Amino acid sequence: MPNASRNPWMNAAPPEPQQIPVGIDPNVPSIARAYDYSLGGKDNFPIDRALVDQMEQQYPGVKEVSVHNRRTLVRLVRHMAGAGIAQFIDLGSGLPTAQNTHQVAQEVNPDARVVYIDNDPVVLAHGRALLAENGNTAVATADFLSPDEVLSTPEVKKLIDFDRPVGLMLIAVLHHIPDAADPAGMVRRYVDALPAGSMVAITSWTYTGLQVQKDITDMAREALGVGYARTPQEIRTFFGDLELVEPGLVFHALWRPDTPVDPGNLNPYEQFMMAGLGVKN
């Protein structure tokens, strides 16, 4: 982590000790908690809010990235559930907020099953509390970078039937994985475990030549230690041999929007991420 002298958000006041879950360093911003704050959530610390506020001060409107990403998740899940996908694995799911994967899927199919995968103690604590009475939804402790670990968790084994199509969610997670860790290879290992008819949803930070894309990515990486904006061609490799559902790999604001969007009149934050949905034949 960079030091406080270089990062103004590092001077944020820490939370009260009794508010800090075991295993959490309140002086280090968290990807999940910063995302939660940008969506208007309350499960975050001053350090997380300071980071997002600093970015918003320098780039007014940057919170739109999180908002558009959440809306895209809703549209992706709704499409998959409507296409008959009745079980989902949501990797690096983050903190529960409005319109989570299970809520959207179960609106379409009340029997839909969802397993959230995360290794953040805050995510696990809040997720398990909220889902205690939902027998078709679970939160599992695992590192999504290890497909074998994820696929062998008791929650996945209990709720996911690999003889039937699965919806795999990689929403806003691959841009936190460096090339050296082979994110495309990791996705491929998951896809290899899925039956035909399964679908893979991906959103990821992109770089198409806009300076703001690079600047925000650099700021996030300085604070969080990770963050990589990739070209559309690089993001396309994550899908491997999967067949892309129309409209293909596009800016997240353009993936089957609920209301018409002018592709020639997108603001920079509507162009910050790419989204796509692949089908395994």
Side-chain angles (χ1 to χ4, degrees), residues 255-270:
W255 202 91
R256 297 178 177 251
D258 292 326
T259 57
V261 174
D262 179 2
N265 192 34
L266 300 178
N267 69 42
Y269 309 119
E270 293 173 314

Side-chain angles (χ1 to χ4, degrees), residues 191-204:
V191 172
D192 288 345
L194 303 179
S198 294
M199 296 184 176
V200 178
I202 293 174
T203 67
S204 194

Side-chain angles (χ1 to χ4, degrees), residues 25-194:
D25 184 348
N27 298 309
V28 177
S30 153
I31 295 168
R33 297 193 309 266
Y35 184 51
D36 172 73
Y37 175 60
S38 67
L39 289 172
K42 299 178 180 179
D43 297 316
N44 46 73
F45 295 149
I47 193 73
D48 310 302
R49 298 191 287 274
L51 168 59
V52 175
D53 289 344
Q54 173 73 11
M55 296 179 73
E56 182 73 17
Q57 181 178 0
Q58 188 164 346
Y59 299 99
V62 71
K63 290 181 182 179
E64 285 186 36
V65 174
S66 298
V67 173
H68 282 297
N69 185 64
R70 176 58 52 160
R71 291 173 179 169
T72 304
L73 177 150
V74 170
R75 299 195 300 273
L76 286 162
V77 174
R78 189 183 297 141
H79 177 88
M80 286 189 279
I85 299 293
Q87 47 184 0
F88 297 79
I89 301 175
D90 193 332
L91 300 175
S93 54
L95 284 155
T97 184
Q99 294 185 297
N100 297 284
T101 296
H102 75 281
Q103 293 168 319
V104 179
Q106 290 169 3
E107 283 182 1
V108 179
N109 178 0
D111 295 324
R113 298 181 174 189
V114 178
V115 178
Y116 293 104
I117 304 294
D118 213 295
N119 60 0
D120 187 315
V122 175
V123 172
L124 299 172
H126 286 271
R128 286 173 175 161
L130 289 173
L131 300 174
E133 297 181 0
N134 189 323
N136 283 341
T137 309
V139 180
T141 306
D143 182 354
F144 73 83
L145 294 176
S146 302
D148 291 342
E149 177 187 347
V150 169
L151 298 175
S152 63
T153 59
E155 293 84 357
V156 168
K157 288 185 173 181
K158 177 183 178 181
L159 291 180
I160 305 300
D161 177 2
F162 286 94
D163 290 328
R164 297 187 296 124
V166 176
L168 183 69
M169 310 292 294
L170 293 122
I171 304 300
V173 295
L174 294 175
H175 52 243
H176 296 303
I177 306 175
D179 291 339
D182 189 18
M186 181 201 71
V187 176
R188 186 168 57 251
R189 291 195 295 277
Y190 279 109
V191 172
D192 288 345
L194 303 179

